[in-house]
Amino acid sequence: MSVEMCAMGAQARALQAPAQQTIVDEGHPHQVFLEEEGSCWSKSFPSCRPASQQGFELSACSAGCTCGWLCLPVHLAVGCGKGLCCGLSQHPFPEWSCSYYVGLQVMKSLASHVPRNNLYAVQVLTDAPMPTPILPPGLAVREVCEGNVRGEWTEPTKLQTAKTLVYFHGGAFVLCRARTERMIVGNLVKALGGCRAFNVDYPKPPLAPYPAALDNALEVWEWLLAQDVRPKDVVLAGDSAGGNLALALLLRLQATGAEMPAGAVLLSPWVEMLPFSSKSWKENHKYDYIGQEAMMEQFVSMYTAGADHQSPFVAPLFASPEQLQKLPPLWISVGGTEMLRSSIEGFAFRAIQANSDVHLYVGPGMPHVYQLCFWAYRPPSAEQLPRCCWACQTLCPDQCTSETAAPVWESMEQARRFVWSRKVWG
């Protein structure tokens, strides 16, 4: 059964539930979702179901909300025009290309103007799948839905190794799905070479607050081991909230005395829940696209559901030196101008002080999870181009490569060297 069929079935059960009924997820008994009676307006839109969870109003459908969605394309167009005008003149950093500047302005406009009164509508927007035909050539995507284990395998068509990357997608714990980040996972598989990747579809709020995602990550780990996958052949990976889950899973495995993976590749991991007082959060606001404090506070409250924000399983920044010392080798990527830089570097520094093997790569001039900006820079190899660039490869092969790798691609090259080093897969 596909992931989409599982999700559609769950949505259908939720829509059929009577008003004011408490729905308990069978796979995670602690996950409770309260659905309330809605207005005629909200009933007209399937993605606008009114609901609340522990006092959080998750949807407020109205004519104003609809107008906000109708105006969103206008805001995106304005952001695109602003980025194009400024991008053609000058850039604050030499690593910024014109297309990158345009994309950054569009992402900032999207984060600033998307109507957040209805969480479900925002989730529908961010859960959109990345079409598989545009992935780099030589890759196949296969969906998995086995009980609570859901996600996607991204595999080379000529797989000749058991090396496995277990990837946790980002999205502030609340947004996006595995299929949303098919491109970044595909790029990693191509860049690392000789491995496959399982992109995990972990449960998310409002149905599944903490520790549901972490519990599911442990289930995925045990599911892999049951298929005779050896821990030393596995590297955990993730971006943003997914990087948080990868670190939390390592700490959970450590606490239970289980055998650890060979290492972890972390792209801008979210290691501190509310980093608003940090230096980078205050100074890099105009260079990044995640500077919406109200939205972050809402998502953190929904995810933690009352859990301690300084628990290392919630915020790995607060892991003890004893916990950090026992971690496997870590490769951490951080954007030079991202707002979470102080927290991420603080975690890396504490881990190094605890004698943990940590490799930190700073992408100069780059924002949060800058590997998502692959479209703004040509890859160093034509084999890493999306399939939609076939005409470019055929007609203009000399234009499909770059002598100087942008931070996006240089970071992946550094990650490749890490995973194939003697301490990890070498």
Side-chain angles (χ1 to χ4, degrees), residues 111-112 276 281 285 288-296 339:
S112 301
F276 301 152
W281 185 272
H285 188 275
D288 210 342
Y289 57 89
I290 62 170
Q292 304 302 315
E293 291 190 13
M295 180 174 63
M296 183 174 285
M339 300 177 71

Side-chain angles (χ1 to χ4, degrees), residues 120-306:
Y120 296 105
V122 179
Q123 286 181 326
V124 168
L125 176 67
T126 58
D127 288 358
M130 176 68 70
T132 54
I134 71 171
L135 292 177
L139 294 177
V141 175
R142 176 167 53 92
E143 296 178 352
V144 173
C145 183
E146 299 182 14
N148 290 331
V149 177
R150 302 177 183 181
E152 295 183 340
W153 280 111
T154 301
E155 303 169 311
T157 53
K158 298 181 179 180
L159 183 65
Q160 298 178 348
T161 178
K163 305 298 184 183
T164 302
L165 193 73
V166 178
Y167 194 88
F168 299 93
H169 67 80
F173 299 105
V174 179
L175 308 177
C176 301
R177 291 181 58 183
R179 64 187 189 183
T180 312
E181 296 194 1
R182 285 173 178 168
M183 183 61 81
I184 191 172
V185 173
N187 284 334
L188 273 173
V189 170
K190 294 292 288 187
L192 298 183
C195 75
R196 58 180 180 169
F198 184 70
N199 195 358
V200 183
D201 242 335
Y202 53 84
K204 304 176 297 184
L207 285 173
Y210 175 85
L214 181 54
D215 291 343
N216 184 254
L218 185 59
E219 289 181 89
V220 171
W221 175 255
E222 294 173 346
W223 172 76
L224 282 173
L225 298 187
Q227 300 182 61
D228 296 326
V229 176
R230 299 181 301 176
K232 65 179 182 180
D233 289 334
V234 177
V235 165
L236 300 185
D239 66 271
S240 193
N244 176 297
L245 286 177
L247 284 170
L249 177 58
L250 290 175
L251 295 173
R252 174 73 72 86
L253 294 174
Q254 178 194 111
T256 59
E259 189 174 356
M260 304 281 274
V265 171
L266 310 171
L267 311 180
S268 299
W270 189 356
V271 295
E272 182 183 15
M273 287 294 100
L274 299 175
F276 301 152
S277 61
S278 67
K279 179 180 178 181
S280 61
W281 185 272
K282 298 176 181 178
E283 295 183 352
N284 293 337
H285 188 275
K286 59 182 178 180
Y287 304 126
D288 210 342
Y289 57 89
I290 62 170
Q292 304 302 315
E293 291 190 13
M295 180 174 63
M296 183 174 285
E297 287 177 344
Q298 179 192 21
F299 289 168
V300 166
S301 297
M302 289 173 58
Y303 172 70
T304 57

